[in-house]
Amino acid sequence: EDGYENLIFEKTGLKLDAYFSATKIKWILDNVEGARERAERGELLFGTVDTWIVWNLTRGKVHITDYSNASRTMLFNINTLQWDEDILKILNIPKSILPEVRDSSEIYGYTDEYKITYGTGAFLLMNIGKEVLKSKNGLLTTIAWGLNGEVTYALEGSIFIAGAGIQWLRDELRLLYDASLSEQYANLVDDTDGVY
């Protein structure tokens, strides 16, 4: 109604639509009690899914996204590669809630968490860098990834029957009628003394 559709399209490449993050952010700030005040005090941040993942992996140290994800918010100027001040003003969104925007492939931060795969087995991998290291404690050495002709190695802790063990408890011993109950039972274990 205010004639911003062409402006937004020129700056972001996107159609003015409720599908994109900008209008959702505006609605939250305008309609959720206390949201705008919290945002202005620096207690509320916005991010896309990648932002949320990096935020959690770095334990809240890094608030970031990449150009690709930023460009889908309807707040990012694809010509200047910046959050667009005009659109932020039109929608009354404080710039301070937005993540830093960086290249799509670079180191954003560091984590002390690890990749875990659950399935028939359970596997925990920890990045060890560019050199092969052999564990003295029974861990496996494997390749974490390959990029630009170079590989990065990882140490892997492996439990070969994790999921299969739960299935065995359910199907053969009938101690569980549903596999999801294994979490409930595991949480009943008192580990206050730090011994498992």
Side-chain angles (χ1 to χ4, degrees):
E1 289 178 10
D2 294 331
Y4 295 126
E5 189 164 3
N6 286 338
L7 173 86
I8 287 173
F9 180 73
E10 288 300 318
K11 289 174 174 271
T12 69
L14 304 176
K15 298 287 186 183
L16 181 57
D17 196 287
Y19 172 81
F20 302 108
S21 306
T23 50
K24 293 178 174 84
I25 296 168
K26 177 173 177 41
W27 188 92
I28 290 169
L29 294 175
D30 290 348
N31 293 284
V32 174
E33 186 176 335
R36 182 167 299 285
E37 293 78 15
R38 290 190 68 198
E40 290 170 359
R41 287 194 308 262
E43 297 172 0
L44 189 67
L45 298 173
F46 161 78
T48 54
V49 172
D50 65 307
T51 307
W52 181 81
I53 291 170
V54 172
W55 176 264
N56 282 286
L57 287 174
T58 63
R59 297 188 185 228
K61 293 181 182 125
V62 179
H63 184 226
I64 200 163
T65 190
D66 79 325
Y67 293 119
S68 175
N69 285 290
S71 73
R72 305 301 291 168
T73 63
M74 210 174 70
L75 294 170
F76 192 73
N77 188 316
I78 63 173
N79 306 295
T80 65
L81 304 180
Q82 301 289 323
W83 297 113
D84 192 87
E85 299 288 346
D86 293 334
I87 298 172
L88 291 170
K89 185 175 180 181
I90 290 165
L91 297 176
N92 194 20
I93 296 173
K95 187 177 180 182
S96 61
I97 70 169
L98 302 174
E100 177 185 352
V101 183
R102 302 244 301 267
D103 286 339
S104 300
S105 181
E106 64 177 82
I107 295 173
Y108 292 159
Y110 295 91
T111 183
D112 56 4
E113 297 181 27
Y114 311 94
K115 174 187 179 284
I116 300 176
T117 303
Y118 293 106
T120 302
F123 309 94
L124 174 84
L125 283 82
M126 181 180 76
N127 181 332
I128 57 172
K130 303 292 182 193
E131 295 183 32
V132 174
L133 299 176
K134 303 292 184 186
S135 170
K136 296 177 183 170
N137 297 300
L139 300 176
L140 306 177
T141 303
T142 190
I143 294 176
W145 63 77
L147 184 64
N148 299 325
E150 290 187 357
V151 296
T152 299
Y153 295 96
L155 287 177
E156 176 181 330
S158 304
I159 302 172
F160 294 114
I161 61 158
I166 300 298
Q167 183 179 7
W168 177 72
L169 290 171
R170 184 193 65 204
D171 298 346
E172 302 302 323
L173 293 183
R174 299 184 192 272
L175 293 176
L176 308 168
Y177 66 85
D178 187 280
S180 65
L181 290 173
S182 62
E183 179 182 9
Q184 180 180 342
Y185 292 137
N187 287 330
L188 294 175
V189 175
D190 180 9
D191 66 349
T192 55
D193 61 0
V195 177
Y196 299 96

